[in-house]
Amino acid sequence: MVSLPQSKPPSAPVINEYADAQLRDLVTRMRQRTALYKRKLIDGDLSSPEGSPQAAKPAAVAPAQDTDAKLEEQYYRILGCKFRKLPLKEYLKLIRLPKTIDSYTDRIYLLWLLLVTIAYNWNCWFIPLRLVFPYQTPNNTHYWFITDLVCDIIYVCDMLLIQPRLQFVKGGEIIMDENELRKYYRSSTKFQLDLASIIPFDVFYIFFGFNPIFRANKTLKYTSFFEFNHHLESIMDKAYIYRVIRTTGYLLFILHINACIYYWASEYEGIGTTKWVYNGEGNKYLRCYYWAVRSLITIGGLPEPQTTFEIIFQLLNFFLGVFVFSSLIGQMRDVIGAATANQNHFRSCMDETIAYMNTYSITKSVQTRVRTWYEYTWDSQRMLDESELLENLPGTMQLALAVDMNFTTISKVDLFKGCDTQMIYDMLLRLKSTIYLPGDFVCKKGEIGKEMYIIKHGEVQVLGGPDGTKVLVTLKAGAVFGEISLLAAGGGNRRTANVAAHGFANLLTLDKKTLQEILVHYPDSEKLLMKKARVLLKQKGKTAEATPPRKGCAFLFPPKEETPKMFKALLGGSGKAGLARLLKLKKEQIAQEKDETREEGEGKEKEPEEGGKGAEKPLDEPKCAASPIPTEEVPQSNRGMDLSPRVTAGQSLIISMTPSAEAGEEVLTIEVKENAKQ
């Protein structure tokens, strides 16, 4: 009875007691919580007793209730719908401008410049039009005034909010201090022009009427217009298209100004007074613009000027037209020439190559392949040599482009895994791009390998077989081959197969000399590469020995199967020696059979006592039967010894193969049997 308290109770009651205790504790806590909330409802006290352990939970509920109340206050209802109302500070945070602006990378600033440019063009185009043509009337004056006011607001915001925040470079350092930015802007010529463009000369409307001449200063904000053009060209893929459009816009604007001046001259002389002036018929602006086009471009067919004023005006117009038109045509030629410079260089190189081939009477097939190479190279990369383009960039930019294009591919090469990253960067800068036509051999069997190849675009095929046309494997973009040849000693490693381009292929090459120049600066990587190269060459040599090349008519027959190891062990060797021993035993057996046949013929004539003498002759070896001998029973030291059974003249050697109980195996049985005498 004493040992009962020390004995462990069964496991089931322990589990029930524990669960019961937990449930009781949970019920007690729920009752305490209910009593607490009842007391709060009765007393109206929101605070919790400090001594109660449950005080933390009600205290945490109060902030959540306050937050919900605040969120409820931020919503308002319109037509039965509930909308969230953001505080004024939230709105200000959304529209708050950054402290500094990078004018080269900020696209929002480029959009703002577009808005300023639109306002600037409005003033440049419509101020002369409203000044000369009678399109501004008392009935539509308020529309013109509102539009002018919007443009002025854009000018003021640009001057006060945007321009003082632009970053600038001073002594190679990017200045981002707000005070320095404001000082720099206020000391620039751009600030002076911006300030002159926002001077409110419009107040003279009160004294002289609504005359657009008082807005002429708005055209001084031309710096923002040219800045917008510069930034837009820098981000466009085909900037020459925008340059052509911009040059055409310059020409149209000059014709617009000339049309306005012609209408002013016609009013000065009198509408319809002479044949030279505008006669007042049709659309005023279109008729004057048509005259300006014919006059500036010197098409001819215009009425002759009659008065001195008309003659002087026409002479000045002709001189101005020749100068402006020739300048714009020259600028247009430069824009188009710059856009087609690469294509012209490509055409000139192709023409020189064709002339060279014609001079030396190169065959048509070769000329066709050369033309195809030129055409495909231009269509694929729009240049003949990528290295010429990258030479103008600094080394860091060249490395950034090379890493982005080829680092992922070359880092997967097993030979370069674990090498110094900087060494791989130097290799990327030395890679050369080469384009191969369909059927071109990248390398041929037997050549000394001096390059490594990385497939950038296209596919190549490894060829083999009796005639060298069987496709062994197809390598696609990202694959690497020939890397072992870079570190092979003794004049290089010979190629073991033909590699030809399947379709058009763009390969990146790295030659052995370039790699050696790089490894001079990285001795640790050189040791690692040499170690890997020895391992790869050893593995490659084993593969070549396992499958020796077969020449001549050997391809017509399947390869001979290897001699079983058990048979080699029983014959005491392998190859020609064991086969010669087996043939010798066979010859002895045939000779023995002939002797027995001859002895049987002579035995019929001789007396039986001769047979007795023969019976008294002892045998050299007893009769024995060789059971199947496994390979493991032959000691290692005896493998080179002569283990073949010895057979005397009165014995026969019987060799047989019987199926084994295990699938795919046979049992070799060798038996020495005594000859039966008749």
Side-chain angles (χ1 to χ4, degrees):
M1 297 299 292
V2 178
S3 61
L4 289 177
Q6 297 178 357
S7 63
K8 296 182 179 179
S11 60
V14 172
I15 296 175
N16 292 338
E17 290 179 1
Y18 177 77
D20 184 67
Q22 292 294 325
L23 289 174
R24 289 180 183 277
D25 181 64
L26 180 61
V27 171
T28 304
R29 289 161 56 188
M30 293 295 292
R31 287 177 180 176
Q32 292 176 357
R33 183 179 179 185
T34 304
L36 176 65
Y37 279 100
K38 283 182 179 181
R39 187 170 61 255
K40 283 186 177 182
L41 291 175
I42 295 172
D43 300 338
D45 186 11
L46 297 178
S47 62
S48 302
E50 297 180 356
S52 177
Q54 290 82 13
K57 292 184 178 179
V61 177
Q65 294 177 354
D66 296 341
T67 306
D68 294 338
K70 292 180 180 179
L71 292 176
E72 290 292 337
E73 294 177 358
Q74 295 177 2
Y75 286 92
Y76 59 92
R77 296 180 179 274
I78 297 179
L79 298 177
C81 299
K82 191 176 181 181
F83 297 93
R84 185 176 181 181
K85 181 181 179 181
L86 291 176
L88 180 60
K89 292 183 178 180
E90 297 293 333
Y91 284 114
L92 295 178
K93 288 181 180 180
L94 293 176
I95 63 175
R96 184 176 60 183
L97 294 174
K99 295 182 179 180
T100 61
I101 299 174
D102 187 1
S103 60
Y104 294 97
T105 59
D106 196 342
R107 297 298 176 88
I108 298 178
Y109 176 70
L110 183 62
L111 294 177
W112 173 256
L113 284 180
L114 175 62
L115 187 62
V116 176
T117 302
I118 293 174
Y120 173 76
N121 279 277
W122 169 270
N123 292 320
C124 290
W125 284 78
F126 285 97
I127 288 176
L129 182 70
R130 294 156 55 188
L131 182 64
V132 176
F133 288 93
Y135 289 137
Q136 180 177 309
T137 61
N139 296 329
N140 58 13
T141 300
H142 57 284
Y143 296 111
W144 296 106
F145 181 78
I146 293 174
T147 309
D148 293 341
L149 182 61
V150 172
C151 294
D152 293 344
I153 292 174
I154 294 175
Y155 278 22
V156 172
C157 291
D158 181 67
M159 178 180 175
L160 297 180
L161 301 178
I162 304 300
Q163 296 300 327
R165 301 173 185 267
L166 295 182
Q167 302 173 6
F168 68 95
V169 180
K170 182 179 180 181
E173 181 183 0
I174 300 177
I175 306 300
M176 303 179 65
D177 184 69
E178 297 181 11
N179 296 328
E180 292 291 334
L181 295 179
R182 284 194 292 268
K183 290 180 182 179
Y184 178 78
Y185 174 64
R186 291 172 184 175
S187 62
S188 62
T189 306
K190 186 177 182 180
F191 172 77
Q192 300 175 4
L193 294 174
D194 292 346
L195 182 63
S197 64
I198 64 171
I199 296 176
F201 290 110
D202 307 68
V203 296
F204 290 105
Y205 288 166
I206 302 173
F207 306 102
F208 301 100
F210 197 73
N211 193 343
I213 191 63
F214 297 118
R215 294 187 55 82
N217 63 320
K218 308 300 179 182
T219 59
L220 296 176
K221 199 174 178 60
Y222 60 86
T223 55
S224 298
F225 171 74
F226 289 109
E227 184 181 1
F228 170 74
N229 292 330
H230 174 70
H231 289 316
L232 186 61
E233 290 179 6
S234 63
I235 65 173
M236 292 184 67
D237 294 333
K238 297 182 179 180
Y240 67 89
I241 297 178
Y242 178 74
R243 296 190 189 106
V244 172
I245 296 174
R246 184 185 61 191
T247 305
T248 306
Y250 292 159
L251 177 60
L252 296 178
F253 179 73
I254 293 174
L255 294 174
H256 168 75
I257 298 297
N258 195 22
C260 295
I261 295 174
Y262 174 68
Y263 186 82
W264 171 82
S266 298
E267 278 193 335
Y268 179 80
E269 286 289 312
I271 301 296
T273 56
T274 62
K275 294 182 179 180
W276 184 82
V277 298
Y278 170 61
N279 56 9
E281 298 179 358
N283 187 285
K284 301 178 181 61
Y285 181 75
L286 289 180
R287 292 298 182 93
C288 294
Y289 200 92
Y290 174 74
W291 183 91
V293 171
R294 299 188 65 179
S295 176
L296 281 181
I297 305 179
T298 63
I299 296 177
L302 296 173
E304 294 293 334
Q306 303 295 327
T307 63
T308 304
F309 175 80
E310 294 175 356
I311 294 174
I312 295 174
F313 183 89
Q314 189 64 34
L315 287 175
L316 294 176
N317 205 32
F318 279 149
F319 285 128
L320 181 64
V322 171
F323 174 74
V324 172
F325 187 72
S326 60
S327 300
L328 292 177
I329 292 299
Q331 186 176 0
M332 190 75 72
R333 179 185 59 82
D334 294 339
V335 170
I336 298 176
T340 59
N342 289 336
Q343 187 174 6
N344 294 334
H345 175 67
F346 157 73
R347 292 296 178 187
S348 63
C349 292
M350 186 174 179
D351 293 341
E352 292 175 358
T353 305
I354 292 175
Y356 172 82
M357 291 188 297
N358 292 332
T359 302
Y360 290 94
S361 302
I362 306 299
T363 58
K364 293 295 182 182
S365 60
V366 177
Q367 292 190 20
T368 302
R369 294 183 65 82
V370 171
R371 289 191 180 95
T372 304
W373 182 88
Y374 270 105
E375 294 292 344
Y376 177 78
T377 303
W378 173 253
D379 293 338
S380 60
Q381 58 189 22
R382 293 294 173 181
M383 63 185 70
L384 294 179
D385 190 1
E386 296 178 353
S387 59
E388 294 181 358
L389 178 64
L390 300 179
E391 284 179 356
N392 299 325
L393 296 176
T396 55
M397 296 297 177
Q398 294 183 20
L399 179 59
L401 293 175
V403 169
D404 187 62
M405 291 187 298
N406 304 319
F407 180 76
T408 305
T409 301
I410 201 170
S411 61
K412 296 179 181 178
V413 182
D414 294 335
L415 186 62
F416 300 121
K417 288 183 179 179
C419 295
D420 193 344
T421 305
Q422 189 61 41
M423 188 209 74
I424 297 179
Y425 288 165
D426 292 346
M427 289 174 51
L428 293 176
L429 295 174
R430 304 291 189 92
L431 293 176
K432 297 181 180 179
S433 177
T434 308
I435 293 179
Y436 292 88
L437 300 183
D440 283 353
F441 282 95
V442 180
C443 57
K444 292 186 177 181
K445 184 177 181 180
E447 291 181 346
I448 300 298
K450 299 179 181 179
E451 301 89 6
M452 178 191 73
Y453 300 93
I454 303 174
I455 304 176
K456 186 177 181 181
H457 299 295
E459 298 178 354
V460 298
Q461 293 179 341
V462 181
L463 306 178
D467 52 354
T469 59
K470 181 181 178 181
V471 179
L472 302 179
V473 66
T474 301
L475 304 177
K476 299 184 179 180
V480 181
F481 61 96
E483 66 273 15
I484 303 179
S485 303
L486 295 179
L487 299 172
N493 182 37
R494 292 189 179 272
R495 307 292 188 184
T496 58
N498 296 329
V499 179
H502 179 60
F504 293 94
N506 189 353
L507 306 182
L508 299 174
T509 61
L510 178 68
D511 57 7
K512 191 173 183 178
K513 181 180 178 182
T514 303
L515 180 62
Q516 295 297 335
E517 294 176 354
I518 296 174
L519 292 179
V520 172
H521 307 285
Y522 305 96
D524 295 337
S525 298
E526 183 179 9
K527 295 178 182 178
L528 178 61
L529 288 177
M530 295 303 296
K531 182 178 179 181
K532 288 186 176 181
R534 285 193 295 267
V535 174
L536 293 176
L537 286 173
K538 188 175 181 180
Q539 294 177 354
K540 189 176 181 182
K542 290 182 179 179
T543 305
E545 292 177 1
T547 56
R550 309 176 68 198
K551 301 180 180 180
C553 298
F555 287 103
L556 301 176
F557 306 97
K560 185 181 69 173
E561 297 182 359
E562 186 180 1
T563 306
K565 294 182 179 180
M566 184 183 298
F567 194 67
K568 290 181 179 179
L570 292 173
L571 295 180
S574 61
K576 295 182 179 180
L579 182 61
R581 189 178 295 108
L582 183 62
L583 294 176
K584 183 179 180 180
L585 293 174
K586 187 66 176 176
K587 289 180 180 180
E588 292 178 356
Q589 183 178 2
I590 296 174
Q592 182 181 358
E593 292 178 355
K594 290 182 179 180
D595 294 340
E596 291 176 354
T597 305
R598 188 167 52 254
E599 289 177 357
E600 290 176 358
E602 295 176 354
K604 295 178 180 180
E605 299 177 356
K606 294 182 178 181
E607 297 179 357
E609 60 182 7
E610 295 181 359
K613 294 181 181 179
E616 294 176 358
K617 185 177 181 180
L619 295 175
D620 294 336
E621 292 182 9
K623 179 180 178 181
C624 63
S627 61
I629 304 174
T631 307
E632 290 78 10
E633 294 180 0
V634 181
Q636 184 70 22
S637 59
N638 297 335
R639 291 187 180 272
M641 300 172 60
D642 188 5
L643 300 179
S644 58
R646 300 301 179 183
V647 184
T648 61
Q651 296 177 347
S652 299
L653 178 66
I654 301 175
I655 302 175
S656 62
M657 299 290 293
T658 58
S660 175
E662 298 181 2
E665 295 185 1
E666 293 182 350
V667 178
L668 175 65
T669 304
I670 302 177
E671 183 179 359
V672 181
K673 188 175 183 180
E674 184 179 359
N675 296 327
K677 297 292 183 74
Q678 295 182 359

